[in-house]
Amino acid sequence: MQLIIVSGRSGSGKTVALRALEDLGYYCVDNLPVALLPALVHTVIERYETIAISIDVRNLASDNSELNDALEFLPHDVKADILFLDANDDILIRRYGETRRLHPLSQSDLTLADAIQAEGQILEPLAHQATWRIDSSELSLHELIEQVTERVLGRKQNKLMLVFMSFGFKHGIPTTADTVFDARILPNPHWEPELRQYSGLDAPVQHYLSQQQLVTKFIYQTENFISTWLPYFQRSNRSYLTIAVGCTGGQHRSVYITEKLAEGIAAQHPHIRIKHRELERKNNAKSES
């Protein structure tokens, strides 16, 4: 049985993560008292191969001893992983302001900012034990669900999930990137008036970039680097690896190169996902307007 414990600071996305796990087929229990964890696992172990529970700060001792004791009482064939979510303090304060919810530690005389900081201190031992840590500060709900899915599927299938992501440097480097390649030194279709309206997924831009010797060399050497070191990442017991390629705006060069890299690596590594961060955000904005 695989057990995933979902925790993190309030407002960081625990409920969304648990919903994503439920969509993946996990039997999910929200906000389970830690002392009941062994009893729950022994009750459902014959019926479910994968379960997930969420634990918030109200169910944890300050030294995390109760959770460690509970894990000791689990059956030996139960593999426990911890998914820890967090966000920066300003984002958490803003989210609480938008939802007008009461923070779990606000029952005392603490201000919201003090409660958020105190919660982080209580959860820090658990965060250090985490199998996966996700910072949701800059993630949409859709992006957070994708992050959870990528990590869990890689571990569940015992395969390294390789994520190729394009992005624009002017919008910030993705917090989930493990390796970043900078394509801003390459010829930019943006400065060709007839190509500006297209993206790296469109044939006119693809044709233009395929004719650029520097672009071809960049793809060849980057693919060679990934192919050389990929086996070592696989042996390190990782469940996911995100390789990000950035250009200025994340529309042309990085998109084209990401597609070509994924195409080239697919022959030796079938577990691949492709993300174009800026294009997806633009499409989501259009659909919401």
Side-chain angles (χ1 to χ4, degrees):
M1 170 187 280
Q2 183 185 25
L3 165 67
I4 295 181
I5 298 169
V6 180
S7 190
R9 291 203 288 177
S10 303
S12 60
K14 298 192 300 295
T15 301
V16 175
L18 200 66
R19 189 190 316 146
L21 292 171
E22 188 172 29
D23 290 341
L24 290 175
Y26 281 73
Y27 175 75
C28 295
V29 179
D30 190 14
N31 200 18
L32 180 77
V34 174
L36 298 181
L37 177 58
L40 171 69
V41 172
H42 281 90
T43 300
V44 303
I45 193 169
E46 299 297 330
R47 297 178 57 190
Y48 301 100
E49 294 182 357
T50 54
I51 67 173
I53 66 163
S54 70
I55 296 175
D56 76 9
V57 68
R58 291 167 293 189
N59 292 325
L60 284 175
S62 58
D63 60 357
N64 210 33
S65 58
E66 189 176 11
L67 176 60
N68 290 331
D69 291 341
L71 294 176
E72 288 293 327
F73 282 99
L74 296 179
H76 294 298
D77 58 345
V78 174
K79 177 174 177 54
D81 291 309
I82 297 174
L83 170 61
F84 191 89
L85 295 108
D86 205 354
N88 66 53
D89 290 6
D90 290 341
I91 294 294
L92 294 176
I93 291 173
R94 189 190 73 193
R95 290 175 181 173
Y96 268 96
E98 291 172 349
T99 62
R100 299 185 180 180
R101 292 173 52 223
L102 187 66
H103 190 278
L105 298 183
S106 293
Q107 305 294 342
S108 61
D109 295 330
L110 295 177
T111 65
L112 176 58
D114 290 339
I116 288 173
Q117 290 187 358
E119 182 182 30
Q121 294 173 355
I122 295 173
L123 293 174
E124 189 59 29
L126 181 60
H128 281 300
Q129 294 179 251
T131 310
W132 309 286
R133 295 186 66 163
I134 296 178
D135 186 335
S136 68
S137 300
E138 303 298 328
L139 299 179
S140 66
L141 293 182
H142 176 73
E143 290 170 332
L144 176 55
I145 290 171
E146 280 198 340
Q147 291 293 317
V148 173
T149 301
E150 288 164 3
R151 285 153 174 71
V152 172
L153 282 182
R155 177 59 60 89
K156 186 176 180 181
Q157 298 170 355
N158 198 26
K159 299 288 186 180
L160 175 68
M161 180 68 68
L162 185 56
V163 181
F164 285 96
M165 177 188 295
S166 68
F167 73 96
F169 275 97
K170 72 178 184 179
H171 302 294
I173 297 175
T175 58
T176 56
D178 297 296
T179 303
V180 175
F181 293 95
D182 188 347
R184 288 177 293 182
I185 58 173
L186 303 176
N188 190 355
H190 176 80
W191 302 116
E192 303 293 330
E194 69 277 10
L195 299 178
R196 188 172 299 178
Q197 62 180 314
Y198 297 109
S199 78
L201 297 177
D202 296 315
V205 172
Q206 292 174 351
H207 176 74
Y208 171 84
L209 290 173
S210 68
Q211 303 302 307
Q212 305 297 320
Q213 186 177 2
L214 274 180
V215 175
T216 302
K217 185 176 182 179
F218 184 97
I219 293 171
Y220 171 78
Q221 293 188 342
T222 304
E223 183 180 329
N224 186 55
F225 175 89
I226 297 170
S227 298
T228 299
W229 293 104
L230 185 57
Y232 295 93
F233 283 110
Q234 290 175 302
R235 294 171 195 164
S236 66
N237 198 34
R238 295 180 66 109
S239 60
Y240 67 97
L241 175 68
T242 299
I243 296 173
V245 180
C247 59
T248 304
Q251 304 294 318
H252 300 108
R253 294 165 291 181
S254 62
V255 173
Y256 172 77
I257 292 169
T258 295
E259 291 284 334
K260 300 303 289 186
L261 290 175
E263 179 184 319
I265 297 295
Q268 69 181 89
H269 190 85
H271 301 280
I272 287 176
R273 300 188 71 179
I274 301 173
K275 285 178 58 65
H276 300 301
R277 189 183 72 176
E278 316 312 347
L279 296 186
E280 291 173 9
R281 287 180 175 179
K282 181 186 292 186
N283 291 335
N284 289 339
K286 288 181 179 179
S287 62
E288 293 173 1
S289 61

